[in-house]
Amino acid sequence: MKKNKNRAFLKWAGGKYGLIEDICKRLPEGKKLIEPFVGAGSVFLNTDYENYLLNDINPDLINLYNELKNNTEFYIKESEKLFCAKNNQEERFYQLRKEFNASNDIQFKSCLFLYLNRHGYNGLCRYNLSGGFNVPFGRYKSPYYPKKELYYFAEKAQKAVFTCESYENTFKRSRKLDTVYCDPPYAPISMTAKFTQYSKTAFTIEDQKNLAKLAKEHTDKKQCHVLISNHDTPFTREIYSQADVTQLMVSRTISQKGDKRVKVSELLALYK
């Protein structure tokens, strides 16, 4: 891992920037890193593999990444225009959110996705059952336009292929000695808790079990190395029983004001 950490240009719930050192200590070396759940890309941005396969089930996210990779100057020029005082108002935010949900123009939506991410509440990425982006206005004094971070991502993205498909299909693309890092929607701390819906498709308990099964199978059959992040619970301990598990204590905000933080136990499950 590089000495200076690189931040993602998106705000992202569950992002791995704060855990990069711990994750990179556990990631096996190799030529290619595969991420079936790339999210904001903090692991991608802070590792040095020759090639990357980066996937997410959210098409808005992957379309943005491809636009930034392939049309860097145009994307930065157009998206920066949205970061102005006129657009940092509640009525205008909801107007642009409505335009985002109604549009089929990938370039336009990719610029708006960054705007909504930086102007929406807590940088959340959430959709309703109809597939409409529904994060409320964030009320920030002056949302940051991440130009430096965008340029860094775009430069590094030249080594990456971005896909939008199921995690199962991304696993099928793995080859001998590839390294796979999985940061799925976390299992609930208690089995009565609800999942956060980052895309139109929820990640179920059965998906959690299936991911652990795939990790073991691909390690055995393809000699891949698979590292998975998740909450540390009796359930995850059980499904990752065939992996080498490391416990981490992570600070989490537990109130909307952000003034109450507790240590939550997470784990890294390594299949090798």
Side-chain angles (χ1 to χ4, degrees):
M1 191 189 76
K2 293 182 178 179
K3 197 169 184 180
N4 297 320
K5 288 166 50 172
N6 299 294
R7 282 194 178 274
F9 64 84
L10 292 171
K11 298 165 70 176
W12 207 256
K16 290 297 175 283
Y17 182 80
L19 293 176
I20 284 299
E21 291 89 351
D22 292 302
I23 291 170
C24 289
K25 285 177 186 176
R26 302 290 288 168
L27 272 175
E29 294 181 357
K31 292 186 176 181
K32 187 174 187 178
L33 179 67
I34 298 174
E35 291 195 59
F37 311 88
V38 67
S42 288
V43 173
F44 158 61
L45 291 168
N46 289 284
T47 51
D48 287 306
Y49 292 85
E50 291 181 20
N51 297 288
Y52 294 85
L53 172 60
L54 306 175
N55 178 74
D56 202 279
I57 201 170
N58 185 333
D60 294 326
L61 181 67
I62 296 304
N63 286 337
L64 186 165
Y65 288 163
N66 277 319
E67 283 298 314
L68 180 59
K69 173 186 175 179
N70 297 322
N71 303 295
T72 305
E73 295 299 334
F74 177 84
Y75 180 85
I76 290 176
K77 176 185 175 183
E78 293 302 308
S79 62
E80 190 171 18
K81 293 177 183 177
L82 293 167
F83 286 67
C84 60
K86 180 185 75 171
N87 289 338
N88 192 28
Q89 299 177 32
E90 187 168 5
E91 184 177 352
R92 180 60 172 160
F93 174 85
Y94 288 115
Q95 179 186 344
L96 289 170
R97 193 183 77 175
K98 184 177 180 181
E99 290 180 23
F100 174 85
N101 285 329
S103 178
N104 291 315
D105 184 324
I106 290 177
Q107 285 187 330
F108 177 63
K109 289 195 72 171
S110 294
C111 292
L112 276 179
F113 190 80
L114 176 59
Y115 162 84
L116 292 170
N117 173 265
R118 284 280 169 179
H119 291 74
Y121 180 72
N122 266 4
L124 294 175
C125 182
R126 189 183 67 195
Y127 299 81
N128 60 30
L129 293 177
S130 300
F133 189 90
N134 67 352
V135 176
F137 183 53
R139 303 181 186 277
Y140 299 111
K141 185 176 180 180
S142 182
Y144 172 64
Y145 181 73
K147 181 180 282 190
K148 180 183 72 173
E149 292 86 350
L150 284 163
Y151 272 117
Y152 185 81
F153 190 103
E155 180 182 3
K156 189 157 189 180
Q158 304 308 312
K159 299 165 63 175
V161 172
F162 297 97
T163 58
C164 183
E165 61 187 12
S166 68
Y167 66 92
E168 295 102 329
N169 285 343
T170 304
F171 261 93
K172 290 177 183 177
R173 296 174 183 265
S174 65
R175 297 293 181 265
K176 184 177 180 180
L177 300 182
D178 284 347
T179 297
V180 183
Y181 171 65
C182 298
D183 182 27
Y186 276 17
I189 294 178
S190 68
M191 296 309 280
T192 57
K194 292 182 179 179
F195 285 93
T196 301
Q197 196 163 336
Y198 297 104
S199 67
K200 301 175 190 178
T201 306
F203 200 79
T204 67
I205 293 295
E206 291 306 312
D207 282 313
Q208 298 283 352
K209 295 176 182 177
N210 187 48
L211 178 60
K213 179 182 175 184
L214 285 174
K216 176 62 175 167
E217 288 177 350
H218 280 68
T219 303
D220 292 343
K221 295 178 181 178
K222 294 188 177 182
Q223 295 179 278
C224 293
H225 307 288
V226 183
L227 183 66
I228 306 177
S229 296
N230 216 321
H231 280 140
D232 187 357
T233 69
F235 169 71
T236 54
R237 288 277 178 168
E238 179 183 351
I239 64 173
Y240 302 142
S241 61
Q242 294 179 291
D244 180 5
V245 174
T246 302
Q247 182 188 49
L248 306 173
M249 296 306 294
V250 183
S251 293
R252 287 282 174 82
T253 302
I254 59 171
S255 70
Q256 289 188 349
K257 294 182 180 179
D259 57 356
K260 293 183 180 180
R261 298 184 71 84
V262 296
K263 290 284 188 177
V264 176
S265 182
E266 295 192 8
L267 59 74
L268 290 171
L270 178 61
Y271 295 83
K272 60 181 180 178

